[in-house]
Amino acid sequence: MPIIKHNMSHLPLGDHKNAPWYGKDILSVGQFGREDLEYIFAVSHEMHDMVDHIGTFDLLKGKILANLFYEPSTRTSSSFTAAMERLGGSVIPINEVKYSSISKGESLADTVRTLECYADVIVLRHPEIGSAAIAAKAARKPVINAGDGIGEHPTQALLDLFTIVEELGYVDGLTVTMLGDLKYGRTVHSLARLLSLFDVRIRYVAPEILRMPPEIMAELEAKGLPQAEHVTLESILPETDVLYVTRVQKERFEDQAEYESVKGAYVITPEVMRAAKERMIVMHPLPRVGEISPEFDEDPRAAYFRQMEYGLYVRMALLAMVLGKS
Ligand code: NCD
């Protein structure tokens, strides 16, 4: 049996400066069309095979990633680190911003200009919407948005869509139900936008005060995406192919009493899931804080742990692409 699957055509060994994503920033899912997604997922798939068969591969040997996190993160930060290291590169981690010059009042633009002197690519998570675009403007090197406040989280949306493709095999024709905090959850903002490239139906289930922002719904409406809002999950669960559950974003609430009033609004349990199809998946960007009962974890439809792993392959692909190695 060959060690590497046939047709490894996406990973040239030399620098590939004419590659479509060489040197580009990744700021919003609006940058991607269906062909881009096919390309990213083909590379991600090869990365998966490569990790399964070899584990690491020196495609990005000598390249350095600056991982700049102004907000907490477990998965995004560590999967970018793992992605870089599995490809032979290395990482400057800045997640304790209180120990960096940021705590002395340095601007985001200056911090980014500093890091690009030492690194080849910058991954940024920041509490303010639009911060990734500001950083990208200041930097000559590629900036990857790892979440800008309640704005976007494009690499998460890519890994979410890759999960759907890998788990269900197709996207067109699916009913995707988004549940929970659709107002402050940046992952659903990005995923809904990305799904508008496909022939899908989106259903939103949220407490009144956490509904999908009307401007995002209007944007998707203009693209002809069928959307509908529901108050209860029961009415829509039986026809759902992808149930995308989110955490109520406690840190975004000004009024903590308001958070308390909605925090336990929906809980996925084995009992609730009895009404769902046998062939469907439950996703969650994680962390979860009570909205999916651990009792459901053993169900084959629980895709949220596999989803994290897919994230590694997608981030490996993205790093290889912007660094001219794919
Ligand atoms: C999400 C985020 O940071 O937006 N987490 C992640 O990146 N996997 C979701 C969340 O914090 O609820």
Side-chain angles (χ1 to χ4, degrees):
M1 211 172 108
I3 289 182
I4 305 172
K5 259 196 174 171
H6 58 281
N7 190 25
M8 294 287 283
S9 57
H10 298 90
L11 305 174
L13 291 173
D15 267 14
H16 192 14
K17 296 197 169 150
N18 296 323
W21 290 89
Y22 176 71
K24 295 251 169 78
D25 304 306
I26 297 176
L27 303 178
S28 155
V29 290
Q31 292 171 257
F32 305 110
R34 280 179 75 140
E35 280 181 12
D36 300 306
L37 298 177
E38 271 165 32
Y39 186 81
I40 295 166
F41 294 166
V43 181
S44 305
H45 203 85
E46 286 178 18
M47 292 296 185
H48 188 170
D49 281 349
M50 192 278 292
V51 171
D52 277 356
H53 291 108
I54 319 171
T56 62
F57 174 54
D58 277 349
L59 190 69
L60 298 182
K61 192 173 168 60
K63 302 282 187 196
I64 299 175
L65 159 74
N67 225 10
L68 177 59
F69 279 69
Y70 291 74
E71 274 191 346
S73 170
T74 302
R75 273 149 291 271
T76 307
S77 152
S78 56
S79 65
F80 268 112
T81 299
M84 200 64 191
E85 293 189 354
R86 286 210 176 261
L87 291 172
S90 52
V91 181
I92 302 174
I94 304 190
N95 35 34
E96 288 280 359
V97 291
K98 64 175 185 280
Y99 296 124
S100 75
S101 286
I102 293 155
S103 67
K104 300 180 187 167
E106 184 166 67
S107 70
L108 175 62
D110 282 3
T111 302
V112 160
R113 280 189 200 110
T114 307
L115 291 173
E116 72 173 349
C117 297
Y118 314 129
D120 302 291
V121 55
I122 297 167
V123 170
L124 173 71
R125 170 169 290 186
H126 193 279
E128 278 159 41
I129 200 163
S131 52
I134 291 171
K137 211 167 160 211
R140 287 170 292 113
K141 306 251 174 92
V143 171
I144 300 180
N145 181 5
D148 60 334
I150 63 166
E152 280 223 35
H153 195 346
T155 67
Q156 178 73 40
L158 291 170
L159 80 86
D160 291 341
L161 191 61
F162 185 60
T163 302
I164 296 172
V165 173
E166 294 289 283
E167 294 274 323
L168 296 176
Y170 61 99
V171 183
D172 287 316
L174 295 177
T175 297
V176 179
T177 299
M178 298 183 170
L179 175 77
D181 185 347
L182 307 184
K183 179 179 179 186
Y184 297 123
R186 56 193 169 202
T187 68
V188 282
H189 298 165
S190 285
L191 182 59
R193 288 182 169 118
L194 199 57
L195 285 170
S196 71
L197 294 172
F198 295 85
D199 183 16
V200 298
R201 286 175 298 277
I202 303 194
R203 304 292 177 245
Y204 304 117
V205 183
E208 179 62 29
I209 58 166
L210 297 178
R211 287 164 62 190
M212 183 58 89
E215 58 280 10
I216 297 182
M217 287 188 70
E219 188 186 315
L220 302 180
E221 171 86 42
K223 294 192 170 155
L225 187 79
Q227 312 167 80
E229 295 185 276
H230 296 258
V231 178
T232 65
L233 180 62
E234 288 68 40
S235 56
I236 192 68
L237 187 58
E239 61 193 76
T240 295
D241 300 298
V242 176
L243 177 62
Y244 193 98
V245 186
T246 64
R247 167 181 76 91
V248 178
Q249 308 274 301
K250 183 177 184 197
E251 67 278 25
R252 313 273 183 221
F253 282 74
E254 274 167 24
D255 177 356
Q256 284 305 303
E258 218 171 52
Y259 166 73
E260 294 296 329
S261 74
V262 287
K263 70 172 188 198
Y266 304 98
V267 180
I268 300 302
T269 61
E271 194 156 46
V272 168
M273 289 304 293
R274 260 190 230 143
K277 291 182 183 178
E278 209 175 297
R279 182 164 157 73
M280 58 84 71
I281 52 171
V282 177
M283 298 175 63
H284 193 307
L286 302 174
R288 63 176 159 182
V289 286
E291 55 285 336
I292 301 180
S293 151
E295 285 159 24
F296 182 66
D297 293 353
E298 297 309 314
D299 190 297
R301 295 170 295 179
Y304 31 91
F305 297 129
R306 299 191 293 274
Q307 184 182 349
M308 290 193 275
E309 188 186 327
Y310 292 125
L312 171 68
Y313 311 128
V314 170
R315 289 176 172 135
M316 289 171 79
L318 295 172
L319 290 172
M321 287 164 59
V322 301
L323 292 170
K325 295 291 186 182
S326 168

